[in-house]
Amino acid sequence: MKNLANIMAAALFIAGPAYAQTDSDAETYNRALAAGYKAQFICSGLWNGGKSLADIEADELNGIYERIAKIVPTLTTEIDQEERQVRVSFADNTPPRTAIWNRKSGCTAMPIGFGGLKIGAPIRTREFNDDRPWPMGDMTPSVRAGNQTTAVRDLVTAAFDAQSYGPGNKTSAALVIQNNQIIAETYKSGHDLHTAQRTWSVAKSMAGTLIGHSVQQKMVDFSAPVQIAEWQKFGDPRSSLTIDNLLRMSSGLVSDTAGNRTDPIYMGGASVTERATSWPLIYKPGSRYRYANNDTMLAVHAARAQHLDWKFKLGNYIPAEHDFDPFAFFQKLGMTRTYVETDWQDNYILSSQVWTTARDLARLGQLYLNNGMWNDERLLPENWREYVSAPSGPQPNGKFGYGASFWLMNTSEGIPKDTIAAFGNRGQYLVIIPSLDVVIVRRGYDTSETRFDIEAFTQDIVRAIQS
């Protein structure tokens, strides 16, 4: 959907999410958010995830944000299979919220007031590797036999029951890899190895990986001041920020909601450049830890700016394979069912909005076990695993530390100290243990009442593998 903003700019009425003046305005905006959420998840669930509408309604549209939870079921949905669009009505005097699918980046949530222009999907198609062996493809791999493997399989089975790792467990997939072999793999009913789910904040670790690839290409300097256009006017203190600050959640920026809420972008059809770049600096960069979606979106935004700056300086003679291109990178890894979604202005929402399968996440973990090598090609700098796992910035309060886009499980009893992990909302987990050559993936649809205990699960897997 390149240049989509230019195509549609004259046709759009963008209802800004900022400051409601009346209770009626606030209710209308909440309905708009609910409609955007519903359109996005049905669109992505159907055509990224390969899920049935019934499963989407049961899994994706339950246990959601309190702000919209009661509104979502009341809204009318129109699914256009031919155009691959989902439209959800929310008010009589405003067009429905629309999400549009394309083969490369999945679903795009259009702005509030989008008038329904038909946008053709890119011609480029995806190539799946279903006839190739693991890890590049999804042919059933050989599974190592033995008591150890049986013990791990039993634990993976236990990950689906309602007691072992948290009350009311909502696991949808669990997968363990050792020595580049799948030794245990199970899915809930209605899901299989090709079912994609939203990664939520696991995407942040994927963003750090993509930036690492750009560093390997010598297209990005993560320690240099960012070149974000909105911050380049004289005297803007935000221009001193680095991608390193942003990957470590130590930007010093403030926003209206703490932590993992970016409602205008995730649900409201606002763009990354409209919202994420607008927040002021309140602390010295590198001095405070504050988990924020904006930091990751800005890190990616800054990395893309460096790519474009290099192309400009060299007269655009840089080959296409040196573009910041998540699709091409994940294809190299055999992650053929991974969709990195964008806003309507073509900015990647790599803080959360990625859809992928359990096996594709395992491939990402395997890349780190390989220390950045894949098919005899170096995709990440040799020291990138060390970089993302170094707690050199300010640290969060809690049992897990933070590196550069990855969580650290280096203080948990019974878990090797080199263990890093990607965590996402609703129970998305990717755990990487280099010293044991192990990757653990758990996917789910958790709620605040049904949280999965990934620490206990990892401890049990480690114990079984070491026995």
Side-chain angles (χ1 to χ4, degrees):
M1 301 182 69
K2 290 292 184 185
N3 300 317
L4 188 57
N6 294 332
I7 294 172
M8 301 186 313
L12 297 177
F13 163 74
I14 303 174
Y19 306 106
Q21 300 299 313
T22 67
D23 290 344
S24 176
D25 291 340
E27 175 61 20
T28 300
Y29 182 55
N30 284 338
R31 288 180 63 81
L33 293 181
Y37 188 96
K38 189 170 188 177
Q40 181 78 34
F41 271 86
I42 290 177
C43 178
S44 298
L46 287 174
W47 299 311
N48 296 349
K51 300 182 63 177
S52 70
L53 181 59
D55 280 346
I56 294 167
E57 291 173 342
D59 298 330
E60 310 287 1
L61 301 181
N62 272 316
I64 60 179
Y65 300 125
E66 184 178 354
R67 181 177 189 177
I68 61 171
K70 292 181 180 179
I71 303 172
V72 166
T74 70
L75 302 177
T76 302
T77 303
E78 178 189 354
I79 299 171
D80 186 335
Q81 290 282 358
E82 182 178 352
E83 294 291 331
R84 296 292 175 101
Q85 297 186 17
V86 176
R87 296 179 281 274
V88 180
S89 298
F90 70 96
D92 292 337
N93 59 351
T94 304
R97 296 299 309 280
T98 301
I100 303 174
W101 184 83
N102 75 87
R103 294 180 182 90
K104 183 177 181 181
S105 60
C107 290
T108 300
M110 307 311 294
I112 299 169
F114 169 66
L117 295 176
K118 293 187 177 182
I119 307 299
I123 295 173
R124 184 177 187 178
T125 59
R126 284 178 174 257
E127 295 182 2
F128 301 120
N129 297 339
D130 298 348
D131 59 348
R132 298 180 64 182
W134 175 268
M136 281 302 296
D138 277 337
M139 289 177 61
T140 302
S142 58
V143 176
R144 187 176 66 245
N147 293 334
Q148 178 197 63
T149 302
T150 300
V152 172
R153 287 181 184 172
D154 289 344
L155 291 170
V156 164
T157 299
F160 288 78
D161 68 39
Q163 293 84 32
S164 296
Y165 298 104
N169 194 340
K170 292 183 176 291
T171 299
S172 56
L175 172 66
V176 179
I177 288 179
Q178 186 181 31
N179 301 326
N180 202 18
Q181 280 190 311
I182 298 174
I183 61 173
E185 181 179 26
T186 304
Y187 297 92
K188 69 168 281 191
S189 176
H191 290 53
D192 62 20
L193 71 168
H194 292 153
T195 302
Q197 293 177 233
R198 181 162 164 157
T199 63
W200 297 93
S201 288
V202 169
K204 293 177 173 67
S205 303
M206 300 170 90
T209 303
L210 288 160
I211 289 170
H213 183 55
S214 295
V215 173
Q216 174 62 25
Q217 293 175 305
K218 302 188 186 309
M219 301 296 289
V220 164
D221 180 353
F222 63 88
S223 62
V226 295
Q227 297 297 310
I228 292 175
E230 293 82 357
W231 297 351
Q232 297 311 304
K233 290 186 178 180
F234 177 76
D236 192 329
R238 296 172 297 181
S239 63
S240 67
L241 281 168
T242 66
I243 291 175
D244 179 68
N245 294 145
L246 295 165
L247 289 178
R248 295 188 183 280
M249 299 293 180
S250 63
S251 67
L253 297 172
V254 70
S255 58
D256 58 350
T257 55
N260 58 353
R261 294 296 295 277
T262 319
D263 292 357
I265 297 174
Y266 287 1
M267 298 182 270
S271 71
V272 171
T273 48
E274 287 171 328
R275 293 290 295 188
T277 63
S278 67
W279 301 108
L281 198 67
I282 191 169
Y283 299 113
K284 179 181 178 181
S287 67
R288 296 286 187 102
Y289 175 91
R290 182 178 186 268
Y291 188 84
N293 293 326
N294 288 325
D295 281 17
T296 302
M297 287 187 280
L298 288 167
V300 171
H301 189 49
R304 292 186 79 188
Q306 284 197 36
H307 273 263
L308 292 172
D309 188 50
W310 273 109
K311 296 197 84 162
F312 177 77
K313 288 177 180 177
L314 297 177
N316 287 328
Y317 292 122
I318 296 177
E321 58 263 27
H322 290 282
D323 288 345
F324 189 91
D325 187 352
F327 174 82
F329 177 78
F330 290 130
Q331 288 287 114
K332 280 179 179 281
L333 297 178
M335 295 174 65
T336 59
R337 286 179 169 83
T338 296
Y339 294 82
V340 180
E341 294 184 332
T342 71
D343 64 28
W344 62 278
Q345 292 182 343
D346 292 326
N347 301 295
Y348 294 109
I349 309 178
L350 263 160
S351 56
S352 175
Q353 216 156 299
V354 179
W355 285 68
T356 193
T357 66
R359 284 194 177 190
D360 276 5
L361 279 186
R363 291 180 176 96
L364 182 68
Q366 187 64 48
L367 175 67
Y368 278 91
L369 293 185
N370 296 348
N371 203 24
M373 294 292 294
W374 196 268
N375 287 341
D376 298 322
E377 180 182 2
R378 177 155 291 285
L379 299 182
L380 300 176
E382 192 170 355
N383 67 341
W384 197 251
R385 189 174 75 195
E386 178 183 347
Y387 167 70
V388 300
S389 61
S392 57
Q395 291 298 291
N397 296 322
K399 64 173 66 175
F400 302 125
Y402 204 78
S405 78
F406 277 85
W407 291 93
L408 313 178
M409 299 179 76
N410 55 353
T411 62
S412 297
E413 184 178 353
I415 296 176
K417 293 188 179 300
D418 62 349
T419 302
I420 61 175
F423 296 162
N425 189 28
R426 307 211 65 183
Q428 319 314 314
Y429 298 110
L430 167 64
V431 179
I432 304 164
I433 312 176
S435 57
L436 296 181
D437 204 13
V438 165
V439 172
I440 301 168
V441 176
R442 188 270 183 179
R443 313 298 306 273
Y445 299 105
D446 297 359
T447 67
S448 57
E449 293 80 29
T450 62
R451 295 188 188 280
F452 186 84
D453 189 340
I454 188 60
E455 182 182 40
F457 186 57
T458 302
Q459 289 167 332
D460 287 349
I461 295 290
V462 168
R463 191 178 300 113
I465 285 174
Q466 290 181 327
S467 62

